[in-house]
């Protein structure tokens, strides 16, 4: 068990007293006369009187000493006097001296503790007095001119397209071009959507020109069927398939512009494909290439851009039309890569972007997103709709 700090001073005092008593007992003494077991009688004392007188004279005679050794002489005289005392008396004097030493040491320690306690009490009293004074005084007085008022600057909330009635009205009316224009144009619209500050704009609504369909984003509903399909005018169609009205009109204008520019005739192989048609198309690709191969070149039903009515597969025609694989190296294909954005189309599956789009490059697959967004896509150097709208890559289902 650890020593008790409260008892340490007392222990120190006892130790000091024992030391002093031991020192007193260890003073050299002269050999004493043998003592008898019985007490001396009056006759014995009278007979020894003549011998005791010289001892008393020697004991109380003044001790001569030089001025420089007066202290030493007094010490020797006291020692001789103490030595001349009987043994029993010397012992009693030693005990008394030890007891006095204990009392003196204890008193010294107690005085030291009292002084320390007094200092602590004084400091505590000063601290208490300061606390009481502060409590009575109370808080500092308020200046006559009043307390200073912090200046707070009002920060206007960030405006979003969804806060603009013109945008929300156009969205409610289904007028995509008007909504984009009200948002500040294609670039501003895209930035607002990609940054997430335009929650009123849905990239999943199949009726919107900006809908994004990929392996992670099926059409909603999965068997969606557009209600405004028409056949493009004055465009050679190798299959009887239509497009949604804005996309059909844009294709007619693009084909005419390419012909006028001397790029040659552009026809198309396939445009809208229904959910049922896409099931047959995908199954045919699986029979030829297996599931893995089919997924790289054909969409599963419900996940195809063709089902949205906004995608078309073009082919080059020079008297007769050639295949899809001939588009990339043809004059028509080169012209489309440079000018299709002017009519609202982009090449949806570009070279080297399979890890994002999920499909091998298809120079023939054009996707209509409208002229304003297509301009922003072209000028921004984008190559996938996923990156354009800030969506995650969709390489697999």
């Amino acid at each position: 068990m650890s020593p008790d700090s409260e008892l340490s001073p007392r222990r120190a005092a006892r130790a000091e007293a024992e030391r002093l008593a031991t020192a007193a007992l260890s003073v050299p003494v002269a050999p004493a006369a043998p003592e008898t077991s019985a007490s001396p009688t009056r006759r014995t004392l009278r007979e020894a009187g003549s011998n005791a007188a010289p001892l008393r004279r020697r004991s109380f005679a003044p001790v001569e000493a030089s001025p420089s050794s007066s202290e030493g002489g007094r010490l020797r005289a006291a020692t001789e006097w103490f030595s001349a005392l009987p043994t029993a008396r010397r012992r009693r004097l030693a005990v008394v001296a030890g007891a006095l030493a204990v009392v003196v040491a204890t008193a010294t320690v107690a005085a030291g503790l009292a002084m320390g306690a007094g200092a602590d009490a004084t400091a505590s009293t000063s601290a208490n007095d300061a606390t009481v004074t502060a409590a009575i005084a109370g808080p500092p007085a308020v200046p006559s001119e009043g307390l200073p008022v912090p200046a707070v600057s009002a920060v206007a909330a960030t405006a979003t397209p969804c806060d603009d009635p013109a945008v929300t009205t156009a969205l409610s009316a289904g007028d995509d071009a008007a909504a984009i224009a009200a948002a500040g144009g294609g670039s501003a619209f895209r930035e607002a959507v990609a940054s997430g500050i335009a929650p009123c704009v849905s990239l999943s609504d199949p009726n919107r020109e900006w809908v994004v369909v990929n392996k992670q984003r099926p059409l909603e509903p999965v068997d969606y069927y557009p209600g405004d399909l028409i056949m493009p005018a004055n465009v050679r169609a190798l299959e009887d398939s239509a497009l949604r009205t804005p996309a059909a009109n844009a294709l007619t204008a693009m084909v005419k512009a390419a012909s006028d520019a001397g790029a040659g005739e552009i026809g198309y192989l396939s445009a809208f494909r229904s959910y049922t048609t896409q099931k047959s198309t995908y199954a045919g690709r699986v029979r030829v290439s297996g599931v893995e191969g089919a997924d790289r070149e054909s969409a599963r039903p419900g996940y195809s851009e063709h089902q949205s009515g906004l995608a078309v597969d073009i082919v080059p025609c020079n008297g007769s039309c050639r295949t899809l694989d001939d588009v990339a190296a043809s004059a028509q294909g080169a012209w489309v890569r440079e000018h299709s954005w002017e009519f609202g189309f982009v090449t949806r599956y570009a070279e080297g972007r399979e890890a994002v789009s999920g499909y091998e490059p298809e120079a023939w697959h054009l996707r209509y997103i409208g002229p304003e967004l297509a301009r922003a896509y072209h000028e921004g150097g984008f190559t996938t709709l996923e990156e354009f709208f800030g969506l995650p890559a969709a390489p697999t289902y």
Side-chain angles (χ1 to χ4, degrees):
M1 184 172 67
S2 60
D4 189 345
S5 61
E6 294 293 334
L7 298 178
S8 296
R10 297 180 183 175
R11 290 179 179 173
R14 286 200 298 272
E16 177 64 16
E18 292 173 0
R19 186 185 67 78
L20 294 175
T22 301
L25 290 174
S26 62
V27 176
V29 297
E35 294 183 0
T36 60
S37 58
S39 301
T41 63
R42 294 182 179 178
R43 178 179 293 180
T44 303
L45 292 174
R46 284 196 301 271
E47 292 174 353
S50 59
N51 296 327
L55 176 61
R56 286 196 294 273
R57 286 195 297 270
R58 288 194 298 270
S59 299
F60 294 100
V63 180
E64 296 181 359
S66 62
S68 61
S69 59
S70 60
E71 294 295 332
R74 284 196 293 272
L75 179 58
R76 284 194 298 272
T79 302
E80 292 175 359
W81 174 81
F82 185 79
S83 300
L85 295 175
T87 302
R89 189 173 183 184
R90 288 200 303 271
R91 290 178 178 175
R92 285 195 297 273
L93 287 175
V95 172
V96 171
L100 288 174
V102 170
V103 172
V104 171
T106 303
T108 301
V109 173
L113 293 176
M115 291 178 65
D120 292 342
T122 301
S124 177
T125 302
S126 300
N128 291 336
D129 290 345
T131 303
V132 171
T133 301
I136 294 174
V142 177
S144 57
E145 64 274 12
L147 294 175
V149 178
V152 179
S153 301
V155 178
T158 303
T160 73
C162 299
D163 299 325
D164 189 343
V167 174
T168 55
T169 298
L171 291 173
S172 299
D175 191 341
D176 294 352
I180 293 171
S187 294
F189 181 88
R190 182 212 71 81
E191 186 175 353
V193 173
S195 65
I197 65 170
C200 58
V201 177
S202 172
L203 297 176
S204 300
D205 186 348
N207 295 305
R208 300 299 183 185
E209 295 174 359
W210 50 74
V211 62
V212 179
V213 184
N214 59 32
K215 292 179 179 181
Q216 295 294 318
R217 300 175 60 88
L219 287 161
E220 299 176 4
V222 71
D223 59 350
Y224 169 75
Y225 196 103
D228 59 344
L229 294 173
I230 63 172
M231 292 295 295
N234 303 317
V235 180
R236 189 188 299 196
L238 303 184
E239 292 180 2
D240 188 13
S241 60
L243 284 170
R244 286 187 58 190
T245 299
N249 293 336
L251 181 62
T252 295
M254 186 181 72
V255 167
K256 183 178 183 305
S259 178
D260 292 344
E265 183 184 3
I266 297 174
Y268 72 98
L269 176 64
S270 177
F272 169 75
R273 291 200 294 263
S274 68
Y275 177 84
T276 302
T277 301
Q278 191 64 28
K279 286 176 65 176
S280 300
T281 301
Y282 178 76
R285 299 310 305 170
V286 170
R287 286 192 296 270
V288 173
S289 307
V291 173
E292 185 177 350
D295 284 342
R296 296 181 63 186
E297 59 188 15
S298 180
R300 297 178 184 181
Y303 292 81
S304 174
E305 281 197 328
H306 283 282
Q307 190 178 330
S308 70
L310 298 172
V312 59
D313 293 340
I314 62 171
V315 292
C317 300
N318 291 309
S320 62
C321 293
R322 304 177 68 181
T323 68
L324 298 175
D325 292 331
D326 294 321
V327 172
S330 68
Q332 290 91 330
W335 188 91
V336 165
R337 285 192 293 274
E338 292 293 329
H339 301 282
S340 64
W341 63 269
E342 299 171 8
F343 303 90
F345 289 98
V346 298
T347 302
R348 179 67 172 96
Y349 307 124
E351 186 80 29
R353 308 305 290 155
E354 184 176 354
V356 178
S357 68
Y359 294 98
E360 293 179 337
E362 296 182 357
W364 60 87
H365 184 100
L366 303 183
R367 163 63 197 276
Y368 182 79
I369 59 175
E372 288 299 320
L373 291 180
R375 176 185 292 276
Y377 190 96
H378 171 73
E379 293 178 349
F382 292 97
T383 54
T384 67
L385 283 180
E386 286 77 14
E387 294 169 320
F388 184 68
F389 283 122
L391 298 173
T396 59
Y397 289 98

